[in-house]
Amino acid sequence: MPYVTPGSGDAWAVESAQRGSVGTQRLLEVREMSPPADVALALRLEAGASVIVRRRLMLTDGQPVELTDSYYPASIARGTALGELRKIRGGAVSLLAEMGYRPERVTEDVYTRLPTETEREALGLARGEWVLGLTRLLRTAEDVPIELSVMTMVPQGRRLRYELIVE
């Protein structure tokens, strides 16, 4: 929940600290681009629309454990801190909420696969090791897609926890 709740700050650092580790992240790239087809479909973008992508390397105790690419419709993110190569005070979810795009719906897909060579090298994996993938789509109460994050993780030491409220 802290990853999708405005006001949670650096959820990665908090979660890591709860496990007795130090969680940090390195911002690798921020740019506007034409989205891959699956990203455009998830964000329901019109043909020719662009996205702002924020690529990060997540570290635990200085070791790479996750690559995260977060995509935002450029129509929402352009001209905001989402499009700047710097950390966002309070986090992207808080900024989106301040802009009137409060996440209310979350869809996550969890899967395993072999990493690309680039991912394998970035995460320090041996040949033949698999990665854990998680794709998270955030939408407003009006069902407007506002963020798609694609996470590629080392499987060792990872735990995914879900709490659902059935109404």
Side-chain angles (χ1 to χ4, degrees):
M1 289 301 290
Y3 292 95
V4 298
T5 306
S8 295
D10 189 344
W12 179 253
V14 172
E15 179 186 354
S16 297
Q18 291 170 346
R19 292 189 319 260
S21 301
V22 176
T24 57
Q25 52 184 291
R26 187 176 312 144
L27 191 56
L28 303 174
E29 177 183 34
V30 176
R31 72 181 176 104
E32 186 166 339
M33 62 179 278
S34 295
D38 58 336
V39 172
L41 182 64
L43 292 174
R44 295 187 207 139
L45 299 175
E46 305 232 349
S50 61
V51 294
I52 302 287
V53 62
R54 296 179 62 83
R55 299 185 195 281
R56 299 179 310 276
L57 175 65
M58 314 305 277
L59 303 119
T60 299
D61 296 332
Q63 296 300 308
V65 295
E66 180 179 314
L67 294 165
T68 301
D69 293 349
S70 296
Y71 298 90
Y72 306 90
S75 60
I76 293 173
R78 189 182 292 122
T80 73
L82 291 168
E84 298 175 9
L85 187 61
R86 64 176 176 90
K87 281 187 90 168
I88 298 171
R89 175 178 274 186
V93 172
S94 293
L95 177 61
L96 286 165
E98 289 170 16
M99 294 167 47
Y101 297 100
R102 183 178 181 80
E104 296 282 338
R105 298 173 185 218
V106 180
T107 302
E108 292 189 345
D109 289 304
V110 180
Y111 49 91
T112 60
R113 64 173 173 78
L114 286 169
T116 66
E117 188 64 22
T118 301
E119 292 167 337
R120 189 184 69 71
E121 289 175 11
L123 296 172
L125 297 170
R127 293 201 184 279
E129 284 189 85
W130 287 59
V131 291
L132 179 64
L134 186 140
T135 300
R136 176 184 298 137
L137 177 64
L138 302 183
R139 299 180 317 275
T140 65
E142 298 78 27
D143 204 34
V144 175
I146 55 174
E147 177 188 272
L148 179 72
S149 291
V150 180
M151 293 152 264
T152 303
M153 304 172 252
V154 299
Q156 300 85 354
R158 299 317 300 256
R159 178 182 178 179
L160 304 176
R161 171 184 274 172
Y162 294 88
E163 181 176 328
L164 305 173
I165 298 172
V166 179
E167 297 180 10

